[in-house]
Amino acid sequence: MRYRTLGGTGLQVSPYALGAMMFGAMGNPDHEESVRIIHKALDAGINLIDTADMYSGGESEEIVGKAIKGRRDEIVLATKFGLPMGDDPNRRGASRRWIMTAVEDSLRRLDTDHIDLFQLHRPDPATDVGETLSALTDLVRAGKVRAFGTSTLPASQIVEAQWTAERRGLEPLRTEQPTYSILNRGIEREVLPVAQRYGVGVLVWSPLAQGMLTGRVRRGQPTDLRRARVFTHLTDERRIDVVEQLVVLADQAGIRLSHLAIAFAIAHPAVTSAILGPRTMAHLDDYIAGMDVVLPDDVLDQIDRIVPPGIDVGRLDMVGDPAAITDVRQYRRDVTDRSAR
């Protein structure tokens, strides 16, 4: 395992990160099996675990907490906050009040005294960036958090956060967690160059494009319609057309499609690690089998011809859109507040 430096933290992390979203009711409800999966990943050299408070309502953090007992010092432990944790409007977002509550809740569930990387799960347009950075800086100075980062933050907001931190003497963002795959290369235009400029580590999620790059979603083959109703990207003909071309390329290169997809994600010089979220031991075994795959230039060149750099083929439903285009009041003048109706 060749470890990589996580941004400016000095932490050495594996290029494969273990995502824990599928541990618990959202995926695998068997705690013992989930713990075994985590242990096998650690034994394979994966030392970065990424979870979140809202995964299965905190159950994922509890499972991770069980699994890391006795092994805490060998793990770089990352979790996230910010998405709703109940109906209370103040149990979400990036306010100082919620950050201080959320970190204590996560520490308790993870059964640890510190979090190596505490990440804002989604941008919070309602909270001033200085308010958020100030609260997170206090957690670093208190020793409860070693570093903090964000997820799906636009390049402009990464720059704003870094400038705000410098002007106010606060800790800077150390990481960003965007989606990135052969099908979604849009972050190559601005997010990845900005991350490199500011020394921000990048942990990419869904390098398999929510399962499309496993080869299980093919044209003319039955698709899990239950998932297709939830995730429209699984039936996007543009994306399926690209998958068909990548299947041929992977076959010609003698590489399993899933291994080609993950190797592509970690080949970018701005990417520190790719987050992989196994639900079963078989999923993890497949990921581990591809750990040594390095794509030669000719294969990367062919991928560039299929999906040019900086291009998104369709969209991944889980990414979401910013308030600037989802809140009509932000792009149209003199609009009546529809929430008051």
Side-chain angles (χ1 to χ4, degrees), residues 63-307:
I63 292 170
V64 171
K66 293 176 184 177
I68 65 177
K69 285 185 182 297
R71 305 187 69 167
R72 178 67 183 90
D73 289 344
E74 61 185 273
I75 295 162
V76 176
L77 180 60
T79 192
K80 297 183 287 292
F81 71 94
L83 292 182
M85 290 295 287
D87 296 329
D88 187 330
N90 286 312
R91 290 184 60 80
R92 67 190 69 185
S95 68
R96 171 176 286 271
R97 170 176 167 167
W98 177 235
I99 287 171
M100 295 304 179
T101 299
V103 74
E104 297 295 343
D105 290 346
S106 287
L107 287 169
R108 184 185 67 254
R109 286 188 292 260
L110 291 165
D111 194 19
T112 187
D113 63 356
H114 71 280
I115 294 165
D116 295 305
L117 179 61
F118 199 43
Q119 305 156 102
L120 175 60
H121 211 148
R122 289 292 184 272
D124 178 10
T127 305
D128 177 73
V129 64
E131 176 80 358
T132 300
L133 292 174
S134 175
L136 291 168
T137 295
D138 286 348
L139 292 180
V140 171
R141 293 172 180 171
K144 295 184 178 183
V145 168
R146 299 295 191 254
F148 55 81
T150 55
S151 179
T152 70
L153 205 65
S156 61
Q157 292 183 35
I158 295 174
V159 173
E160 180 187 6
Q162 303 304 67
W163 282 11
T164 300
E166 183 176 354
R167 286 197 305 270
R168 300 189 186 182
L170 303 172
E171 291 289 319
L173 297 180
R174 294 299 189 184
T175 63
E176 161 59 12
Q177 190 179 127
T179 187
Y180 183 54
S181 72
I182 297 174
L183 294 177
N184 292 100
R185 302 184 62 174
I187 64 169
E188 293 173 345
R189 290 180 175 272
E190 293 189 353
V191 172
L192 294 184
V194 163
Q196 287 177 296
R197 182 178 181 88
Y198 285 92
V200 173
V202 178
L203 311 174
V204 299
W205 56 272
S206 204
L208 295 176
Q210 205 66 22
M212 290 200 75
L213 296 178
T214 62
R216 293 195 295 268
V217 180
R218 300 286 303 279
R219 176 170 288 112
Q221 294 185 4
T223 302
D224 185 335
L225 296 180
R226 179 181 63 81
R227 292 186 68 213
R229 284 196 294 271
V230 176
F231 299 124
T232 59
H233 61 254
L234 291 175
T235 56
D236 186 328
E237 290 298 321
R238 295 168 299 174
R239 293 167 73 85
I240 292 174
D241 180 61
V242 170
V243 169
E244 293 299 325
Q245 296 178 65
L246 292 172
V247 167
V248 174
L249 174 58
D251 287 344
Q252 291 173 343
I255 303 171
R256 192 176 301 179
L257 179 59
S258 59
H259 297 169
L260 179 141
I262 298 168
F264 166 84
I266 61 176
H268 195 288
V271 173
T272 310
S273 303
I275 299 172
L276 304 168
R279 181 174 54 83
T280 67
M281 191 68 78
H283 293 160
L284 178 64
D285 288 340
D286 177 50
Y287 301 152
I288 291 174
M291 273 186 171
D292 295 328
V293 173
V294 177
L295 300 183
D297 286 343
D298 66 311
V299 172
L300 290 169
D301 289 343
Q302 291 180 73
I303 291 174
D304 286 349
R305 286 192 285 271
I306 295 171
V307 181

